[in-house]
Structures are given as structure tokens and as C-alpha cells.
Amino acid sequence: MRTDELRIDSVAVHAGRDDLPGFGVHALPIDLSTTNPLPDIDRGGTSYEVMASGGQPPEDGSAVYARLWNPTVARFETALARLERAPAAVAFSSGMAAMTAALLALTRDGRRHVVAVRPLYGGTDHLLASGLLGTSTTFCREEQVSQAIRPDTAVVIVETPANPTLDLADIAAMAAQADAVPVLVDNTFATPVLQNPVELGATLVLHSATKYLGGHGDVMGGVVACAGEETAAALRRVRAVTGALLHPIGAYLLHRGLATLPVRVRRQQQSARQVADWLARHQLAEAVYYPGLDGDPRGLLGRQMRGPGAMVSVLLRGGLEHARRLTDGVRLFTHAVSLGGVDSLLQHPAALTHRPVAAQARPPQGLVRLSIGLEDPDDLIADLDAALSHRPGRPVPQPRGPAGHAQRAAALRRSLVS
């Protein structure tokens, strides 16, 4: 089935499934083979060389070994590439494995300098600042990219919306500043539902697939959509050598998660808008970070993004004391790292995800980041209100209405007593 002319909801359901009718199956198959039969020495050797060099298995050859290629992973890659409107995608064992592979693939031929726009996810910031991969990094603001580029610059890295302050960067303008230097956009917060950086000039689009793509907090992975096959082949070579593989079961769960991605993201976004509006009016909120609350002066919503997303950050007036009050006081939200799942999470970036970041770039102590899930927004707001009001001992909100479990349980207890 062709998916390139369909709308995103249809693409999300059908992409990466073209070969299923040939197998006579409807659900995604999982291939757990670690090794594969070889047709003969010559074709086996050719297959190995092709895939170790970043290519796909030859039609008359073999997949050889799972470190080189796996059909379950390949289906997920095809589906994600279609959603990102990109020619190809390459999947990895985690988002940081994907970022590491991108840096290793791009920093060659004497080009080992990176330009990184802050703020960034703390793990990426720390990796770049540490120089662990033999790179040097110039951290800058969006408008400083062109001045920061040097003859040995290999890549410009930006995250938009940014973690954790939801800053928006103009991808097309940044690609123009970068000129011939590849631009890597971390699209984890926006997802392909809301933003397609390749169409705006990006060369690589990275996702921590653990987050929205999986959507249920039960699978870890990373994936990079590529504007060209040459970039994808370079990433596959790194993956084959380093072994940063996405397991087939993980690929299956991520591919399955894509089918509901548009529905989840839009519903979560709708709730996030309500939560952000409520927080913006709260007396303890010094600032609320959510795209569009500032009026979107550059017009990036609509032009670049199709919506503001489902991440919200709030800067509380009481600093760490009020941040702790919020994280300790919630009952419906879970105090935990990660984001993008069906249940709502909140965390304190300065103490956790951004703890390794240089002090001058670390988020303030009063900042708390919220990932809005699929719960009723009124229940989420009530949970936040009770926590900020410092009302301890509050139970998790129970389902309301005559059909709720709590009501049925109470009725059963009364009947037993009588």
C-alpha cells in the first residue's frame, strides 16, 4: 500500500507494513533470529560486505547477522521515515545511542567541531561538553549559529521545542545559517505529528523513541530520520561496528506505538493547553513555559509546528522549596524522569536530567517539567492544585459517576454488611 499520499493518521497505521500480505499475516511479525542461513559462500560474503558498509540485504543474498540488519527493525525504520517525510531512518538501542552514532558518523575528514544550540537535553549537553567522542563544542544561542561555525564544523545540533524550557528555534533559518553544514534536529518533544524538520532543511532528525513514539513507558530506543541515503548508510555503518542495536521486540513495540501516535499527541496537547493556562494564572507560578503562551511572536506555530505539544514547564516562585512541594505532593502525576507516555509525569530537571550540565546552563531550581498524559485534564489540574496548596494525604482521584469502580465497591460493601 502506498502511504506517501495519505494523511498522517493513515500513514501512522499503515506505514512499514507493505510486506505483511505476502506473509499472510495481519499483525506485525517479530523476527528474533540472531543469525541467518547463507545461500552460499560467495553470496553470503557479498551480503555481509554490503550491509557492513551501510547497505540493505541483497535480494539474492542473506541478512547474515542481526547486528547488520533485522526485518522487524527495518519495518519500524520505514514507518518512521514515512512519518518524518524522509527517505530513510536508522534505529538504535536508545536516544543517546542514536546521538552518539550521529556524532561518530558526521565527525570525520578532520571535522570534529560541533555547534550546539542551548538549551538541550541534559544527556546530549553532557556528552558534547565532555568531549568523550573526541569532539569540541561551541554552545550558543540560535542567532549565533553562523558566527560559531568554523571550517572544521561537522554538525549543528538543536532541539526544538527545547528541553526543558520549550524554547522554539526556527529550523529553516538555522539551516540557512549553517549553509553546507548538516543540521541535526532533536524532534522528540514535537514528534512527526507536529513537526517535520527535513522539509525545513534539516539533514538528520533524531528521536528518543522511548518517549512519544513508544508512548507507554515500556520500551527503550532511538531513531534518526535522514534527508538522504548517504547519511543513513553512514549511520548503519556505525551501528554495525558499535552494536548499538534496537532489539526486535523493542522495534515491534515502537512500530505498534506509531499507529496511535497522532491520536495520543493531539489529545495530550489539548490537555496540556488547559494545564498550561491554569498554571499561568497560579499565584506560585513565576513563569510558565509552553509554546504559544508568549503570543508566538515569530509565528513558528502554524508555519513550523502544527501545534504546541504536550510538554509544560513551570518556574515556581519559591525555588527549590516549592518545586519539592509540587513533586512530593502529587498523587496522579508520577514523579519520574522520561516523558511522552500515556500517563502524566513530572520531574525536577536541575536535580536529574540536567544535573551534569554546566552550572551556567542548568535550569533554575524552581523549574519543574510536566509531561501531560491521557488523564482527564481536570483531574490533573486538581492534583497540581492540591500539591501546590500543600494539602498532604490526598488520595489518588477515583473515577466519578455511577459506573465508577469506587462507587460499585462501596455499594458492594453496603450490601454485604446489610
Side-chain angles (χ1 to χ4, degrees):
M1 174 179 290
R2 289 180 58 84
T3 56
D4 51 352
E5 297 174 357
L6 299 176
R7 294 173 177 83
I8 190 169
D9 295 77
S10 301
V11 174
V13 172
H14 290 282
R17 298 168 182 253
D18 292 355
D19 62 344
L20 268 58
F23 295 127
V25 300
H26 178 69
L28 292 166
I30 306 174
D31 189 329
L32 296 173
S33 302
T34 58
T35 191
N36 298 280
L38 306 174
D40 54 52
I41 289 177
D42 293 332
R43 284 183 290 170
T46 299
S47 299
Y48 184 93
E49 183 176 0
V50 167
M51 289 183 290
S53 301
Q56 305 282 7
E59 288 188 10
D60 64 344
S62 167
V64 183
Y65 192 54
R67 181 162 53 82
L68 304 174
W69 189 85
N70 174 273
T72 307
V73 175
R75 289 187 192 95
F76 165 64
E77 292 171 334
T78 297
L80 190 278
R82 295 274 175 84
L83 285 171
E84 277 293 4
R85 304 176 188 176
V90 184
F92 298 87
S93 54
S94 71
M96 286 308 299
M99 179 62 74
T100 298
L103 289 168
L104 291 174
L106 294 170
T107 53
R108 60 184 189 274
D109 302 328
R111 292 178 289 117
R112 306 201 65 80
H113 176 249
V114 176
V115 173
V117 178
R118 276 176 170 160
L120 281 169
Y121 166 59
T124 301
D125 193 300
H126 180 56
L127 176 65
L128 294 171
S130 71
L132 182 65
L133 300 179
T135 59
S136 62
T137 301
T138 299
F139 292 98
C140 66
R141 302 294 298 177
E142 176 187 352
E143 64 274 9
Q144 300 170 324
V145 166
S146 59
Q147 299 97 301
I149 290 176
R150 309 187 320 210
D152 62 338
T153 300
V155 61
V156 174
I157 296 176
V158 62
E159 182 178 14
T160 178
N163 189 352
T165 53
L166 287 303
D167 294 8
L168 299 186
D170 189 326
I171 297 171
M174 192 166 304
Q177 286 190 69
D179 195 15
V181 176
V183 174
L184 183 156
V185 176
D186 187 329
N187 203 30
T188 300
F189 277 20
T191 81
V193 176
L194 301 178
Q195 184 170 263
N196 298 114
V198 166
E199 294 191 328
L200 300 166
T203 305
L204 305 96
V205 181
L206 182 145
H207 292 269
S208 174
T210 310
K211 313 304 193 297
Y212 284 103
L213 303 190
H216 292 77
D218 56 5
V219 58
M220 186 167 287
V223 63
V224 182
C226 305
E229 174 57 31
E230 182 180 354
T231 303
L235 288 171
R236 291 189 204 106
R237 286 195 297 272
V238 172
R239 183 178 65 183
V241 172
T242 61
L245 311 171
L246 176 62
H247 192 276
I249 292 179
Y252 164 80
L253 289 170
L254 291 173
H255 197 172
R256 188 177 69 169
L258 294 182
T260 59
L261 179 66
V263 177
R264 287 187 282 108
V265 168
R266 293 191 191 109
R267 178 64 176 82
Q268 289 165 302
Q269 176 179 259
Q270 183 180 13
S271 295
R273 282 175 167 150
Q274 296 181 52
V275 171
D277 287 342
W278 179 84
L279 283 169
R281 298 190 300 270
H282 199 282
Q283 60 182 357
L284 294 184
E286 181 175 332
V288 175
Y289 303 100
Y290 185 68
L293 279 185
D294 61 351
D296 188 28
R298 294 190 292 172
L300 292 178
L301 292 177
R303 174 164 62 89
Q304 176 172 295
M305 291 183 69
R306 293 180 283 274
M311 299 297 299
V312 182
S313 288
V314 57
L315 180 63
L316 297 169
R317 297 186 185 280
L320 181 59
E321 178 187 351
H322 282 165
R324 184 176 285 116
R325 175 190 293 187
L326 180 56
T327 59
D328 290 351
V330 290
R331 295 295 181 270
L332 190 56
F333 280 83
T334 299
H335 181 198
V337 299
S338 200
L339 58 102
V342 294
D343 61 316
S344 295
L345 308 176
L346 87 175
Q347 63 118 337
H348 186 258
L352 293 157
T353 53
H354 290 69
R355 194 182 191 95
V357 175
Q360 71 273 15
R362 198 175 300 150
Q365 291 294 323
L367 187 80
V368 176
R369 191 192 73 187
L370 289 73
S371 171
I372 304 302
L374 294 178
E375 302 93 341
D376 188 291
D378 289 337
D379 289 335
L380 294 174
I381 289 170
D383 193 41
L384 296 171
D385 186 31
L388 289 172
S389 301
H390 210 35
R391 297 197 296 269
R394 183 176 43 82
V396 175
Q398 296 295 318
R400 291 177 291 183
H405 292 297
Q407 288 80 1
R408 289 200 299 269
L412 177 61
R413 285 196 297 271
R414 285 194 297 270
S415 66
L416 291 173
V417 170
S418 59

